[in-house]
Amino acid sequence: MYEYLRGTVASAAPTEVVLDVGGVGYRLTVPVSTYEAVRAAAQQGGAYTLLTHLAVRENEWRLFGFATAAERRLFEALVEVKGIGPVMALHILSASPPAEIVRAIREGDSRFLHRVRGVGRKTAERVIVELREKADRLLPEGPRETSASLPAADDATRALVSLGYSAQVARRAVERAEQEAGGERLPVEMLIKRALQHVK
């Protein structure tokens, strides 16, 4: 129904973006990697385009937004797997860059997927079984590079909370990830990935 939306960024949070398109605000649920791209674009001003996926349920229509075709392609492949809905697919996308998720699928690395909150061992194995043969088509343009950003501990903490962790657990995990970085400024996406290693 909607292929993409182009407008100015009215607001942006680690899991949600509002685009102002001709005076109408569209709220889109996004993976953390997309938030990174949107935040960088918002700082520069001007219009921004998000590819979209509309999930329709009996009592809810929900728009999901993606900065790249690879993110949307992987999301749409994940939601076709039995037992994985849009929210869980978004959790998987928010935990690691698309290239790493596709690598795990291609190599049969179910432990990598099982680290994501809410993804059980059987579900992780099902993802690999159903998507392994499609792996090469999920990321044809190669991995998307993420740009460096300002310190992002607060955004990373909010993202972990939105994934279901308590604020205290999220904050401690982010702090440990920052300590391991040794003062290096990490983009939100990488900080979340490293923090997730400390919450299981």
Side-chain angles (χ1 to χ4, degrees):
M1 184 175 183
Y2 297 105
E3 174 64 19
Y4 65 86
L5 290 172
R6 181 172 178 80
T8 56
V9 180
S11 65
T15 58
E16 187 175 276
V17 169
V18 175
L19 277 186
D20 184 330
V21 182
V24 178
Y26 290 87
R27 184 174 61 191
L28 301 100
T29 304
V30 300
V32 173
S33 52
T34 289
Y35 162 69
E36 281 261 289
V38 170
R39 185 176 66 165
Q43 292 173 348
Q44 298 175 1
Y48 192 79
T49 300
L50 283 178
L51 301 174
T52 60
H53 173 92
L54 178 63
V56 179
R57 293 187 175 182
E58 184 176 350
N59 298 318
E60 180 185 34
W61 286 29
R62 190 172 185 180
L63 268 175
F64 292 83
F66 307 92
T68 69
E71 289 174 342
R72 183 172 66 176
R73 190 181 302 112
L74 181 54
F75 174 87
E76 291 177 341
L78 286 167
V79 296
E80 291 180 0
V81 176
K82 182 180 179 180
I84 293 188
V87 173
M88 186 178 292
L90 203 72
H91 285 185
I92 294 172
L93 276 175
S94 293
S96 296
E100 293 194 21
I101 298 170
V102 172
R103 177 206 59 76
I105 293 171
R106 183 184 294 114
E107 297 177 2
D109 187 357
S110 61
R111 292 180 61 186
F112 180 91
L113 297 172
H114 182 48
R115 292 186 313 176
V116 180
R117 185 177 181 86
V119 178
R121 183 173 290 102
K122 289 184 178 180
T123 300
E125 292 172 351
R126 190 180 302 121
V127 168
I128 290 171
V129 169
E130 295 190 22
L131 299 184
R132 199 168 192 173
E133 292 184 359
K134 304 176 183 178
D136 290 337
R137 299 194 299 272
L138 293 177
L139 209 65
E141 71 264 39
R144 179 178 66 84
E145 295 182 357
T146 56
S147 59
S149 63
L150 297 175
D154 289 344
D155 286 341
T157 300
R158 285 195 294 269
L160 263 64
V161 169
S162 73
L163 293 176
Y165 298 101
S166 70
Q168 183 178 15
V169 168
R171 186 164 50 252
R172 288 179 179 174
V174 171
E175 288 174 355
R176 290 186 64 183
E178 286 188 312
Q179 290 171 0
E180 291 179 351
E184 177 187 357
R185 288 184 172 182
L186 300 176
V188 174
E189 185 178 357
M190 181 60 68
L191 188 56
I192 291 171
K193 176 186 172 184
R194 294 190 181 184
L196 283 169
Q197 297 174 2
H198 299 295
V199 292
K200 280 197 174 184

